[in-house]
Amino acid sequence: MAEIRLTKVEQGQTKIRNVPIAVTPEGFWCCPSPVVFQKTVKAQNPLNKPKSSPPPPKPSVQKKLTPLNEKKPSSAQSRAEALSNDKRGFNNDALGLGASIVSDRTARPKAESLPRKVAIEFGEPGTSDLKVILRGKQGFLVKLSVHRSVLKEKSSFFADKLSEEQPGQSCIGIDDCEDVEFYVETVGLMYCKDMKQRLIKQNVSRALRILKVAEALGFDSCIQTCLEYLEAVPWVGEEEEEKVVSSILRLQGEGMGVSPILKRVASEASNHHKDTLSNIMELVLMSNEDRGRREMKSIVLKLLRENNNLPSSAGAMDICNNTIYTSCQRCLNSLLSMFRQAAEPEFNNKPLDDKGPVLKQIMLEADNLLWLLDILIQRQAADEFAILWSSHQELASLHKRIPIASRHLISCITARLFVGIGRGELLPLKDTRHLLLETWLQPLIDDYSWLQHGCRSFDPKVVEEGIGRTILTLPLEEQQTILLAWLGSFLKAGDNCPNLQRAFEVWWRRTFIRPYSEAQGSMLQSDSSMTS
């Protein structure tokens, strides 16, 4: 179709309005949106001046109205028509390509309350044998001049309607159309020879709206074309992805080919999560490139944090935690092996080219363990790591024989555990907490000066608070043993030793100022008397 023809205008009760509509060789393509309808009808003269009546209707529908200042009314009827035009507030500035809005002219004072009409014709001009009336919720109607054979062939909805029509009936109505624009556009697609080429000009949002109307009309070929378009076109952003997936899931049980689209967001492979996650973790842990390694560690940590917030991720979390602990054990074994090599007496006599790879591997594995510990803490699954770390007495005994520049990240792991316990991010048993302090507090004190001056991410105040709170979770006698040992180091090293004065003060008050032993003894006596 090369044009859209305007239907006959009822004289004396309608007024012609032009709106922008694009036409394709096959048929109608771009209908004005409801916003265009409303803006067109509500457009007012800025000065609110009355306008004169237009001259008698002529074949052209795009001629401008005569302004009032030309003053060419010829009779009282012309003046009445000018007043009526002023109340309706129409202008004729918007030029179209072949479709017009037709408004009923009645005695009502406000034209905005009158129904707005658009007449559109498809196919060869003058050959239509059916009218389809679309009644929109925005207060306007669209009359489509169409062909029974086309609609019956393309749409199961229209086929059912036509099979039920009464003799002599030449009109089908569709009430309460939520999206009149796309009803018209979808009917226009019934006249297109290549719908895919038409959809290429659209975006995902418009294709989804066409898909919804095509589904309502039973336009199967259009549905399939929309699905092919959505499968091939990129989706921009998570919001658009969710709209596509939710739209096509409605069609999943209707035999439509939605699986190619769903394969974008869901895998059919079973138990692939564990293998994929293990592969990703291994790639990051084995990387030697600083920038890529640093950025990917941050990205994986952020994505795993998002997974933690999903209520349905309990099973996946177990798989993930098992994978992480497998990596932790591998890193610990590698770290212990490197420590043993670096602690050999002849290691220091080796040339730098031989020592360098070992010392670099020590730093790499320690950094890996620190990253894995951060993941486990944010997943609230680090208690087992505390057990693993506190039980490595051999690693702690070899610690002082490794150059401090290569071993300081080991103390960062210890510090992170203390901070986590002090904040309640992990809750290891009392024996584990005591063993952790007994095994790793002194190596941390030995490296404290280096950590303060050579490690940007190290926060002395936070670490000192974490150590102190961890000590104060132990029985009073164990607090005393650890704090007295710390006191000897602090009096020798000063600022090069963690400042645990706050924990020391709490222990002092518990021991000397507010002893609970007397109250505890009286409670025991009371319990025994009640029992007897």
Side-chain angles (χ1 to χ4, degrees):
M1 165 183 156
E3 64 174 328
I4 295 175
R5 300 185 63 193
L6 176 69
T7 57
K8 184 178 180 181
V9 176
E10 299 150 353
Q11 295 184 2
Q13 295 188 1
T14 54
K15 186 172 182 65
I16 296 173
R17 294 287 302 128
N18 291 321
V19 293
I21 297 181
V23 185
T24 68
E26 292 84 3
F28 173 83
W29 180 244
C30 182
C31 176
S33 66
V35 176
V36 174
F37 284 116
Q38 295 167 5
K39 286 184 177 180
T40 305
V41 173
K42 293 182 179 180
Q44 301 289 337
N45 191 325
L47 299 179
N48 228 2
K49 293 184 178 180
K51 296 182 180 180
S52 64
S53 168
K58 294 184 179 180
S60 173
V61 298
Q62 300 178 359
K63 192 168 183 179
K64 304 243 177 174
L65 300 177
T66 305
L68 180 63
N69 54 18
E70 295 184 16
K71 294 186 178 180
K72 294 184 179 180
S74 58
S75 65
Q77 180 180 2
S78 298
R79 289 192 296 271
E81 289 177 357
L83 180 60
S84 176
N85 289 341
D86 178 60
K87 290 182 178 179
R88 285 164 175 76
F90 286 111
N91 60 35
N92 199 27
D93 297 330
L95 295 180
L97 295 177
S100 300
I101 293 179
V102 181
S103 296
D104 292 339
R105 177 181 297 178
T106 65
R108 296 180 184 179
K110 292 186 178 180
E112 287 80 358
S113 62
L114 304 178
R116 281 86 74 189
K117 298 181 181 179
V118 175
I120 302 169
E121 183 171 347
F122 293 93
E124 294 297 327
T127 63
S128 62
D129 55 2
L130 181 67
K131 305 293 183 185
V132 175
I133 306 298
L134 304 176
R135 296 178 178 88
K137 292 185 177 181
Q138 295 83 3
F140 57 85
L141 300 101
V142 177
K143 180 171 65 175
L144 308 179
S145 298
V146 294
H147 303 76
R148 297 170 184 267
S149 58
V150 175
L151 269 61
K152 191 172 182 178
E153 176 188 357
K154 300 290 186 179
S155 166
S156 61
F157 171 82
F158 285 118
D160 294 341
K161 287 286 187 181
L162 291 172
S163 65
E164 300 171 358
E165 79 172 319
Q166 301 297 326
Q169 181 179 353
S170 61
C171 181
I172 296 176
I174 303 178
D175 297 331
D176 296 330
C177 295
E178 295 182 1
D179 217 339
V180 173
E181 174 189 358
F182 287 90
Y183 267 86
V184 177
E185 194 157 357
T186 305
V187 172
L189 286 171
M190 296 181 186
Y191 287 83
C192 289
K193 297 178 180 178
D194 191 347
M195 286 186 286
K196 187 175 181 180
Q197 291 299 320
R198 300 301 174 194
L199 286 177
I200 288 177
K201 302 176 182 179
Q202 306 302 302
N203 54 37
V204 171
S205 178
R206 292 182 66 86
L208 289 174
R209 294 167 77 178
I210 293 172
L211 176 63
K212 183 178 180 180
V213 176
E215 183 184 356
L217 296 180
F219 189 2
D220 291 344
S221 58
C222 182
I223 293 174
Q224 194 59 44
T225 303
C226 288
L227 291 176
E228 293 173 0
Y229 169 83
L230 294 171
E231 190 277 330
V233 72
W235 308 334
V236 180
E238 294 183 4
E239 183 179 354
E240 189 166 271
E241 176 179 317
E242 291 177 2
K243 288 181 179 178
V244 173
V245 174
S246 62
S247 296
I248 65 173
L249 283 176
R250 299 196 312 268
L251 304 171
Q252 195 170 15
E254 301 181 11
M256 297 296 176
V258 299
S259 59
I261 300 177
L262 292 178
K263 284 181 179 179
R264 280 201 193 184
V265 296
S267 174
E268 297 176 355
S270 59
N271 198 26
H272 69 286
H273 297 291
K274 180 179 179 181
D275 297 336
T276 304
L277 180 61
S278 177
N279 187 31
I280 293 172
M281 301 284 288
E282 204 63 25
L283 287 172
V284 176
L285 294 172
M286 298 300 293
S287 172
N288 292 319
E289 204 283 320
D290 291 339
R291 180 180 177 184
R293 173 187 170 85
R294 182 174 60 255
E295 292 185 1
M296 286 310 301
K297 281 167 56 181
S298 177
I299 290 173
V300 172
L301 190 66
K302 181 187 74 172
L303 295 176
L304 288 174
R305 186 182 299 114
E306 292 177 3
N307 285 5
N308 297 344
N309 298 327
L310 298 178
S312 59
S313 62
M317 285 183 66
D318 293 338
I319 295 174
C320 181
N321 293 343
N322 293 336
T323 301
I324 294 171
Y325 272 112
T326 300
S327 299
C328 287
Q329 192 60 61
R330 186 196 62 76
C331 291
L332 278 169
N333 293 338
S334 174
L335 189 61
L336 182 58
S337 175
M338 296 298 106
F339 262 49
R340 287 169 178 168
Q341 292 184 41
E344 293 177 355
E346 61 273 12
F347 182 80
N348 291 330
N349 299 326
K350 290 183 178 181
L352 185 60
D353 292 343
D354 294 337
K355 294 191 298 183
V358 176
L359 298 177
K360 185 176 181 180
Q361 189 66 24
I362 289 175
M363 296 184 65
L364 185 67
E365 298 296 359
D367 185 62
N368 287 340
L369 283 169
L370 189 59
W371 178 57
L372 294 172
L373 175 58
D374 282 335
I375 295 175
L376 291 169
I377 287 177
Q378 78 171 15
R379 298 174 72 82
Q380 301 177 358
D383 290 1
E384 188 177 343
F385 188 95
I387 297 173
L388 287 173
W389 192 248
S390 61
S391 62
H392 267 275
Q393 281 87 5
E394 182 182 1
L395 196 66
S397 63
L398 295 173
H399 180 270
K400 59 185 176 183
R401 299 167 64 178
I402 308 299
I404 191 170
S406 302
R407 78 189 189 204
H408 71 278
L409 286 177
I410 302 296
S411 294
C412 287
I413 298 172
T414 303
R416 184 66 184 93
L417 282 169
F418 287 141
V419 171
I421 295 173
R423 292 174 173 174
E425 295 172 333
L426 62 155
L427 304 171
L429 298 176
K430 187 256 305 177
D431 292 342
T432 302
R433 299 195 302 273
H434 181 263
L435 185 59
L436 181 64
L437 286 161
E438 193 177 58
T439 305
W440 286 106
L441 180 56
Q442 188 58 49
L444 175 60
I445 292 174
D446 295 340
D447 294 348
Y448 202 75
S449 177
W450 177 278
L451 293 172
Q452 290 185 92
H453 301 97
C455 187
R456 292 183 180 179
S457 60
F458 187 80
D459 190 336
K461 297 296 182 183
V462 174
V463 174
E464 289 166 1
E465 184 176 13
I467 297 172
R469 288 183 176 182
T470 303
I471 294 172
L472 295 174
T473 62
L474 300 176
L476 196 60
E477 292 79 5
E478 294 176 359
Q479 295 178 35
Q480 177 177 323
T481 302
I482 295 172
L483 286 171
L484 290 179
W486 160 80
L487 182 59
S489 300
F490 184 70
L491 292 174
K492 293 179 182 178
D495 291 340
N496 293 329
C497 179
N499 190 339
L500 306 180
Q501 292 184 36
R502 293 181 64 181
F504 186 83
E505 291 176 6
V506 173
W507 164 79
W508 181 280
R509 292 189 181 97
R510 288 176 178 177
T511 303
F512 300 107
I513 300 177
R514 294 181 301 181
Y516 294 91
S517 58
E518 296 179 0
Q520 185 177 6
S522 62
M523 289 177 64
L524 291 174
Q525 291 178 3
S526 176
D527 291 342
S528 62
S529 63
M530 290 177 65
T531 304
S532 61

